[in-house]
Amino acid sequence: MSLPFIDLKAQYAALKPSIDARMQRVLDHGQYIMGPEVKELEEALAAYTGTRHCITVASGTEALLIALMALDLQPGDEVITTAFTFAATAEVIVLLGGVPVFVDIEPDTCNLDPSLIEAAITPRTKAIMPVSLYGQVCDMDAINAIAARHGGIPVIEDAAQSFGASYQGRKSCGLGTWGATSFFPSKPLGCYGDGGALFTDDDALAQAAREIRVHGQSQRYTHTRVGVGGRMDTLQCAVVLGKLERFDWEIARRLAIGDRYQQQLAALPLQRLAVREDRDCVWAQFTVQVDRREAVVEALKAAGIPTAIHYPRPLHRQPAYEQRCRAATPLPHSEAAARRVMSLPMSADLSEAQQDQVVAALRAALA
C-alpha cells in the first residue's frame, strides 16, 4: 500500500472531537460568513505571530492580492520576486496590471537571493515579495534593509508555506510590511478548503485590507475603495481553531522529522536543502534535488512512495507570464532547481517506520 504524501486523515483522527465540536457550533449558530470564529481566529493568529493585526481571507492567493491592493499597486508598477515559486506569486501582480521582476534564488535554499535585489530596483518598484519556500523564511533582515535604503519599499513575505517557522527568534508572517499565508489543506496549518490570512503592524494597511476583503466597504453599502469578495468563511476558521490546539506539537514534529530526513539522506547522491543557522524550516514540503528525476520518481512510485514536484517550470518560462514579466538577472539557479527538485512524503504524523521506508526506497532508486 502506498504511503500518504500528506497524512490529513491521521491528523483529523487525532483532532476529531475538537474539530467536530467547533464545526457543530457554527452549524448551530448559523453565522457562516463573518461569524464569531473569524474574530477568534484572527486574535489567536495575531498573538501567535506577534503582529498587531491579522485579517483572514479566502485563500493565500487572495492574501497576496489584497496586500498589493492595499498598497495601491498600479498598472506598470514593478514587484521584485522569485520565478521559482507557485504561479500565485506572479499571478496577483499581473492581475493588477503590475510587472513581476524576477531575480534568482540561492542554490542551496531555493529562496530569493537578497544580494541580487538592489540591482533590480527601478523608479517603478512598488514592492518586494520574497517567498519563504518549503517552510524556511528568507533572509528578511537583509531584504528589509535594502527596502529601507530605497525609500522604504514595502516588503510582502509570501509565507504560504512557512506559517509556524522562526527567523532569528521571530515568527514568519511578522517580518515585513505584510505577511501573507495560506491555509490550503496541505499547508503546515491548513483548513478543509481554501483560506488564508494577512498580517501587519500598520493600522492603515490593516483597515484597507479589511475593507477590500468585503468589496471595499467601510460600512454596509458604503464602498470606500475597490474591493473583492475575499472573506474566509466561518466553518474554515473553526477548522483552523481546532488544529491550533496541537499546532506547537506539529511544528516540533515537523522539525524533528526534517532533521531525521537530513541525517538519513546525508550519504546519498542528492542535494539537500540548506537550513540557515539563524532560522528553522517547518518543511511544508521536504524537498531534495536529484539527477535523473523522472527515473527516480518512477522507481519510488513502483515502491509505493508518492512524490511531487515543487516546481517543474519557473514562472519566466510559463506561457502565461513569459511576456508579462521581466528577468532582472539571468536565472540559472531557478532553472536548475526546476529540473531537479523532488518532494518526499512529509507530515507531522509521519512515523519513523514510514520515513525509513521512504529513505530505503530512495536509496535503491539512486543506486
Side-chain angles (χ1 to χ4, degrees), residues 134-186:
Y134 302 142
Q136 178 177 198
V137 176
C138 297
D139 191 349
M140 292 296 289
D141 281 358
I143 294 168
N144 286 330
I146 293 165
R149 286 200 299 270
H150 289 266
I153 298 170
V155 177
I156 305 167
E157 184 195 0
D158 181 343
Q161 298 181 15
S162 62
F163 192 84
S166 295
Y167 169 86
Q168 298 184 7
R170 294 167 286 158
K171 288 294 186 183
S172 179
C173 292
L175 302 168
T177 312
W178 278 119
T181 199
S182 168
F183 301 129
F184 189 78
S186 64

Side-chain angles (χ1 to χ4, degrees), residues 190-236:
C191 56
Y192 289 157
D194 275 316
L198 279 165
F199 301 85
T200 187
D201 289 330
D202 188 302
D203 296 345
L205 287 178
Q207 182 60 29
R210 289 191 179 100
E211 293 176 8
I212 291 166
R213 75 171 170 182
V214 289
H215 302 283
Q217 296 176 95
S218 55
Q219 55 185 335
R220 190 163 176 81
Y221 298 130
T222 299
H223 299 270
T224 311
R225 60 184 81 236
V226 175
V228 295
R231 298 160 299 203
M232 183 171 171
D233 71 72
T234 312
L235 277 167
Q236 298 301 342

Side-chain angles (χ1 to χ4, degrees), residues 169-359:
R170 294 167 286 158
K171 288 294 186 183
S172 179
C173 292
L175 302 168
T177 312
W178 278 119
T181 199
S182 168
F183 301 129
F184 189 78
S186 64
K187 304 302 184 187
L189 182 62
C191 56
Y192 289 157
D194 275 316
L198 279 165
F199 301 85
T200 187
D201 289 330
D202 188 302
D203 296 345
L205 287 178
Q207 182 60 29
R210 289 191 179 100
E211 293 176 8
I212 291 166
R213 75 171 170 182
V214 289
H215 302 283
Q217 296 176 95
S218 55
Q219 55 185 335
R220 190 163 176 81
Y221 298 130
T222 299
H223 299 270
T224 311
R225 60 184 81 236
V226 175
V228 295
R231 298 160 299 203
M232 183 171 171
D233 71 72
T234 312
L235 277 167
Q236 298 301 342
C237 289
V239 171
V240 177
L241 282 165
K243 289 192 176 187
L244 271 176
E245 294 181 10
R246 73 162 199 169
F247 187 57
D248 286 342
W249 176 85
E250 290 198 11
I251 290 299
R253 284 285 298 153
R254 285 179 172 275
L255 296 177
I257 292 166
D259 284 347
R260 192 167 187 266
Y261 260 142
Q262 294 280 62
Q263 294 164 12
Q264 289 185 307
L265 300 179
L268 298 187
L270 51 74
Q271 181 180 338
R272 296 169 296 149
L273 195 73
V275 180
R276 300 284 188 246
E277 290 185 0
D278 62 350
R279 67 205 75 164
D280 58 26
C281 183
V282 295
W283 303 108
Q285 288 87 33
F286 189 91
T287 301
V288 297
Q289 296 189 43
V290 296
D291 296 324
R292 304 184 300 109
R293 182 174 65 193
E294 283 191 17
V296 174
V297 166
E298 285 303 312
L300 290 174
K301 182 179 178 181
I305 307 298
T307 58
I309 310 301
H310 303 98
Y311 297 95
R313 184 187 294 188
L315 297 184
H316 68 296
R317 300 296 188 194
Q318 293 284 359
Y321 298 106
E322 56 189 356
Q323 300 302 317
R324 294 182 168 95
C325 67
R326 180 169 67 83
T329 63
L331 305 172
H333 299 312
S334 300
E335 297 194 356
R339 291 191 297 268
R340 302 182 70 237
V341 291
M342 178 185 70
S343 300
L344 302 173
M346 173 52 122
S347 62
D349 294 288
L350 187 73
S351 69
E352 287 194 358
Q354 289 173 321
Q355 194 172 16
D356 291 343
Q357 184 181 344
V358 173
V359 172

